[in-house]
Amino acid sequence: MGETNAWLPPGLWPDKASPPWLNKGDNGWELTAAAMVGLQSVPGLVILYGSMVKKKWAVNSAFMALYAFASVLLCWVMWAYQMSFGADMIPLLGRPDQAMIDKNLLVRYEQKYIPTADYVFYQFAFAAITVILLAGSLLGRMNFYAWMLFVPLWITLSYTVGAYTIWGAGFLREYIIDYAGGYVIHLSSGVAGFTAAYWVGPRHSHDRKHFPPNNIINMLGGAGFLWMGWTGFNGGSPLAANTITSLAVLNTHICTATSLLVWLSLDMVVYLKSSVIGAVQGMITGLVCITPGAGIVDTWAAVLMGILSGSVPWFTMMVLHKKSSFFQDVDDTLGVFHTHAVAGLLGGLLSGLFANPRLLEMFYPMGKQGPGFIYGIADGKFRHGLRQMGFQFAGALFITVWNVIVTSLICILISRMIQLRMEEDDLEIGDDAVHGEEAYALWGDGERHPPPLRFRMTPRMPSFCRRPDRKF
C-alpha cells in the first residue's frame, strides 16, 4: 500500500473504513447536504409552523412537524426506502424490505463514490420534509391521533410510488426531468395537502377569518433555515461535489431572491404595503420552482423562473383563490397548494422548457431526457423538445392523480377508525385541549387547577363500520 499510495497524503489512504472507491470529499459533502435538508424540517419548519399560526395552535403545529420527522425515519429504514429505490415488485413500486444491514449500507451506491448509507439518509430527509410540507394544509384542526396514523400510511402508499416511478427504477425515470423533487416532493405535498384538507374539513369559523401569526420574527428565523438549507436540498442531488452541484446552488439562490422580490413588488403595487408574510411566500415559491431544474438550467433561466415563480403563484393565491369557490370550499391553512403544487408544477414545466442538453447529459448520463424545448428549437430538434414537454406534462398528471386518489383513500380509511377533525370545543381552545400545553406561559398564564391528567386526553374512537359525521 505504501508504494501504491505514496503520492497521496496519509489521510487519503484506503483502509477498512475507507475503501478505494470512496471519495471523502463527495462523502463529506453528501452528509453535509443531508444534514442541511434535515435542518429544514427540524428546526426549520418546526419554527416556521409554530410561529406562522395563531398563538393557540403554536404547539400543535410545531409538534405535527416534529412527530412526522421521527415517524418517517422509522418507516423509511424499515420498509419505505426499499419501496422507493429497491428491487422491482410492480411497475409502480419496489419490494418492501428493511434498509438496516451493514453489508447493504456500507457498499458503494451505484456508480457514485459514496456509501449507500449516505443516500438512505439523504432521501429520508426528502421524504420527511414532503409530509411535513403537506401538514401545512391541515394546521389548526386535524386530530393529532389521526395525523399519527396518516403519516406512515401516506409515506408508504403515496410518496414511495412517486419516488420509485421518477427517481427509482420506475417507468418514468428515463424520461422525466426532476432534478431534486419538483414533482416527487412539492407537487405531491401540495396536491395531497389540498386533498387531505378537503376530507379533514375547515378550521373553526373564527380561526378561518382571523388567523394572525403569533411571532413574525421567529417565522423569519424558520424561513431562514428553509432558504439556506436548500443549499443542501439542491446541492446534494448530484451525490458529488462537482460542477453541477455548484451551478445548482447558485441557481437556487438566484431564483429564490428574484421570486421574493417579485412577490414583494406585487404586494406593494396592489396592496400598497410590503408584507413580510408575502415575502416568505415568495421565497418559498422560488425555492420550489427552481428545484426540478436547479442543476440543468442556465443562470439566465433561473432568473426567468424566479420572475414567474414570484408572479404566477401570487396570482393563484392572492387573486384566483379569493374569487374561486373551488378554493374557498377547501381550507388550505398555509396555502400549500399555491406555494408547492402550483410552484412545483410551474418549475417542472419550465425545466422542460429551459433544460440545457449539455447539462442534462452530465446529470442524466444514462437517461433519455431532453433537450429542453427552447434548445430543441435552437438546435433543430423541435420534435425532441416537444416530446420532453409532453413527458413533463405526463409526469405531473400522474403525480397529481395518484396523490388525489391515494390521499382520499387514506383519509377515508382513517375516518372509519378515528375522527379526522377535532371536536368543536377543542377547536375553540387549541393547544391546551390537545396537548395540555401552551406555547407562551407568562406570569400567571398557563396555570391550571387542577393540572390536566394525561390519561384524560384519549382519542375518541368511533365504530370502525360507521364513519363519524364531518363538521364544517
Side-chain angles (χ1 to χ4, degrees), residues 4 24 38 54 94 118 122 140 149 159 241 255 291 299 304 349 379 392 468:
T4 306
K24 293 187 177 181
K54 202 171 185 177
D118 286 15
Y122 180 69
L149 295 176
Y159 180 82
C255 180
T291 293
T299 301
L304 294 179
L349 298 180
D379 297 340
Q392 297 302 108

Side-chain angles (χ1 to χ4, degrees), residues 37-307:
V37 180
L39 287 170
Q40 289 182 290
S41 296
V42 179
L45 286 171
V46 171
I47 297 173
L48 185 68
Y49 284 1
S51 306
M52 206 168 185
V53 298
K54 202 171 185 177
K55 174 181 176 290
K56 71 176 185 178
W57 292 114
V59 172
N60 179 255
S61 300
F63 193 31
M64 285 178 69
L66 184 64
Y67 163 77
F69 193 81
S71 178
V72 170
L73 178 54
L74 292 184
C75 295
W76 193 249
V77 297
M78 287 194 290
W79 64 79
Y81 171 77
Q82 293 292 353
M83 292 176 69
S84 301
F85 299 99
D88 294 354
M89 183 175 71
I90 59 175
L92 298 177
L93 205 59
R95 184 179 297 111
D97 198 1
Q98 55 91 11
M100 296 182 285
I101 301 176
D102 288 351
K103 67 178 182 180
N104 294 332
L105 293 174
L106 301 182
V107 299
R108 183 178 183 181
Y109 179 73
E110 295 187 349
Q111 300 303 310
K112 303 297 181 178
Y113 297 98
I114 61 172
T116 300
D118 286 15
Y119 194 66
V120 172
F121 182 62
Y122 180 69
Q123 286 296 339
F124 146 69
F126 272 7
I129 199 172
T130 305
V131 74
I132 294 173
L133 292 173
L134 181 163
S137 296
L138 308 171
L139 301 180
R141 84 281 200 175
M142 187 172 187
N143 186 340
F144 190 78
Y145 300 101
W147 176 246
M148 293 178 71
L149 295 176
F150 181 90
V151 171
L153 286 172
W154 192 83
I155 284 293
T156 303
L157 301 176
S158 187
Y159 180 82
T160 55
V161 172
Y164 182 82
T165 53
I166 293 180
W167 286 342
F171 65 98
L172 294 175
R173 177 178 183 175
E174 295 183 351
Y175 305 99
I176 300 294
I177 296 174
D178 192 5
Y179 172 84
Y183 285 175
V184 175
I185 295 173
H186 299 294
L187 182 59
S188 293
S189 62
V191 171
F194 192 79
T195 304
Y198 166 78
W199 288 103
V200 172
R203 287 166 288 172
H204 190 279
S205 58
H206 181 70
D207 285 350
R208 197 169 184 188
K209 295 176 183 176
H210 186 68
F211 206 72
N214 68 83
N215 194 320
I216 288 183
I217 302 302
N218 281 356
M219 181 189 74
L220 288 174
F225 272 107
L226 206 60
W227 186 344
M228 298 314 297
W230 228 282
T231 301
F233 198 105
N234 289 344
S237 284
L239 307 181
N242 58 24
T243 54
I244 292 291
T245 301
S246 302
L247 178 64
V249 171
L250 180 62
N251 283 346
T252 296
H253 295 293
I254 288 176
C255 180
T256 304
T258 304
S259 180
L260 186 155
L261 295 175
V262 169
W263 192 296
L264 179 62
S265 299
L266 289 171
D267 277 347
M268 293 174 67
V269 169
V270 177
Y271 301 108
L272 304 180
K273 287 187 178 180
S274 53
S275 168
V276 177
I277 297 176
V280 171
Q281 301 284 29
M283 177 205 81
I284 293 172
T285 56
L287 291 167
V288 171
C289 184
I290 194 62
T291 293
I296 49 87
V297 301
D298 297 302
T299 301
W300 61 264
V303 175
L304 294 179
M305 292 173 75
I307 294 172

Side-chain angles (χ1 to χ4, degrees), residues 409-449:
L409 293 175
I410 291 172
C411 288
I412 292 171
L413 174 62
I414 294 174
S415 71
R416 300 296 181 184
M417 297 181 285
I418 185 172
Q419 293 180 149
L420 292 171
R421 186 173 181 261
M422 297 180 201
E423 294 288 344
E424 202 69 24
D425 292 343
D426 293 342
L427 290 175
E428 292 183 6
I429 299 171
D431 289 336
D432 194 15
V434 183
H435 304 289
E437 298 163 330
E438 294 180 350
Y440 305 103
L442 303 178
W443 178 262
D445 186 20
E447 294 182 0
R448 304 172 185 85
H449 306 286

